[in-house]
Amino acid sequence: LDRIADRAATHDIGSQWPQADLDDLASIGAMRWAIGKAWGGDDLDGPTLHDHYELIASASLATALILSQRDAAAEFIESSSNEPLRDRLLPQLVQNKVWSTIGISHLTTSHQSGTLTAEWDGDGFLVNGTIPWATGACKSDFIVAVAKTLDGQQLLFVLPVDLPGVTVLPPLKLATLAAAPTSPVRCAAVRIGPDLILSGPSEAVLVGRSRNVAISQAFAAFGIIRASLQLIKQIDIASAANSHDLLSQQFRELRSTVHDANARLAGGRDLQSGPLIRSECSNLASRAAQSAVTLYKGSALKLDHPAQRLAREALFLLVWSSPMSVVDRTLELIADPH
């Protein structure tokens, strides 16, 4: 974690893929965490995996995001009934021989940004359109993607980036997380045969991941909060100590709330609380990062200052995987924090 934190500013300012971070994580077995034991993985449960991401995010959110997207792809593959594809790809992911990411936001939270269609063509599907957001696509060997068929069903499949018709566009120029390059991926009559299909066509293919944590994005907010508190603690003035104590108490309470909510949601109870808690996590992360910027004054306006990076990363939480229920609650907290 110390080495990852030391490299975070350089990777961020230089828009550098954090390969050294990923190599360090691979050396301690991180590529096994999210994959079942049948394929050589560690089969970690959702809460444990989430805690690992949180710690990595406290050193570099970009690195934690990249790993989480790779692991999400692995989980979709593992839950598939396509045994030959599963048995081929999962051991390669465990051994860190290939890299992957996901491209599903166009059917979940970013409907306005792109579309991907799949049309039956005799012995497979022809896929056309654009995946608007795919973190790490420019470094991936394949993408786990989802498309809509002409009759409105969903098709989940593996999209090798070297298939004819696939174009990974240059990474978007975003205000934050430059070290986690996010690209649109264009598909022009890309043929997807049965050997690449993970699930569907059916009404809902994006459910049922075995290690899913109900409020899974909380790790990003918690990582920012942890890092912000560390920065605040280093300033030896009364206002910093007071800010640290207040934010720490709120953090402890929020972590407990998330833990309890995940248990309820995993059991199929209280299905409405997730979006509300997601917004609370983002709100506390933003306030913690802004507190760090305030205390470090002008120094925190420099791009290489960690408080500056955290403040920009907090913007990511406002838009990442945010359905309207999360957006509505976030706007309420911004307009009336009490």
Side-chain angles (χ1 to χ4, degrees), residues 70 83 147 184 323:
R70 176 261 190 199
E83 292 186 15

Side-chain angles (χ1 to χ4, degrees), residues 11-336:
H11 290 158
D12 178 60
I13 295 172
S15 302
Q16 296 179 20
W17 176 257
Q19 189 60 53
D21 296 354
L22 299 173
D23 289 344
D24 276 348
L25 290 169
S27 73
I28 64 167
M31 303 310 158
R32 301 193 304 265
W33 291 345
I35 297 174
K37 292 182 179 180
W39 299 274
D42 290 340
D43 201 24
L44 297 187
D45 60 68
T48 301
L49 192 61
H50 187 274
D51 288 347
H52 286 17
Y53 293 154
E54 178 185 327
L55 291 174
I56 299 168
S58 70
S60 169
L61 179 55
T63 299
L65 175 64
I66 289 168
L67 180 62
S68 74
Q69 300 301 278
R70 176 261 190 199
D71 287 352
E75 291 177 12
F76 277 125
I77 294 169
E78 185 172 337
S79 64
S80 169
S81 59
N82 187 335
E83 292 186 15
L85 184 61
R86 206 173 57 197
D87 293 343
R88 175 167 63 88
L89 293 180
L90 290 178
Q92 293 183 56
L93 286 166
V94 165
Q95 298 163 26
N96 202 27
K97 292 182 177 179
V98 295
W99 198 263
S100 183
T101 188
I102 57 173
I104 64 173
S105 65
H106 48 288
L107 287 190
T108 55
T109 59
S110 298
H111 305 282
Q112 77 282 2
S113 301
T115 183
L116 210 59
T117 61
E119 182 177 0
W120 178 251
D121 187 48
D123 59 348
F125 290 86
L126 288 180
V127 173
N128 288 278
T130 301
I131 301 170
W133 305 91
T135 298
C138 61
K139 296 291 184 178
S140 295
D141 298 287
F142 61 89
I143 301 165
V144 170
V146 63
K148 267 193 174 181
T149 62
L150 298 184
D151 59 356
Q153 294 190 312
Q154 297 177 359
L155 181 75
L156 186 69
F157 59 96
V158 167
L159 178 70
V161 298
D162 59 356
L163 278 183
V166 177
T167 303
V168 178
L169 299 175
L172 300 166
K173 293 187 180 298
L174 303 177
T176 187
L177 293 170
T182 296
S183 300
V185 179
R186 186 177 296 150
C187 295
V190 177
R191 181 168 292 279
I192 301 296
D195 59 317
L196 294 175
I197 294 175
L198 293 171
S199 182
S202 60
E203 290 186 4
V205 297
L206 300 178
V207 296
R209 283 185 288 164
S210 60
R211 294 170 192 80
N212 182 52
V213 178
I215 312 175
S216 57
Q217 293 86 356
F219 79 83
F222 287 176
I224 291 174
I225 296 166
R226 279 182 177 272
S228 299
L229 288 173
Q230 290 172 1
L231 288 176
I232 294 169
K233 191 175 183 179
Q234 294 170 15
I235 298 181
D236 189 19
I237 59 175
S239 55
N242 183 57
S243 177
H244 182 276
D245 290 346
L246 290 172
L247 291 169
S248 294
Q249 177 61 31
Q250 294 173 50
F251 184 35
R252 287 191 294 271
E253 293 173 356
L254 187 58
R255 288 192 95 251
S256 178
T257 298
V258 167
H259 177 79
D260 293 344
N262 275 325
R264 294 196 307 273
L265 287 159
R269 308 184 306 278
D270 190 22
L271 298 177
Q272 302 303 313
S273 68
L276 305 183
I277 299 172
R278 271 279 314 280
S279 300
E280 299 286 348
C281 294
S282 300
N283 182 267
L284 182 56
S286 295
R287 291 189 287 112
Q290 290 167 9
S291 296
V293 170
T294 301
L295 288 163
Y296 280 90
K297 300 184 178 181
S299 297
L301 295 182
K302 298 178 181 178
L303 280 177
D304 62 350
H305 197 284
Q308 165 63 212
R309 189 183 75 255
L310 293 171
R312 285 185 284 111
E313 288 175 351
L315 296 175
F316 170 69
L317 303 180
L318 301 178
V319 300
W320 181 38
S321 190
S322 293
M324 283 310 300
S325 55
V326 175
V327 171
D328 290 343
R329 178 55 180 160
T330 297
L331 291 173
E332 288 177 4
L333 290 172
I334 292 173
D336 184 6

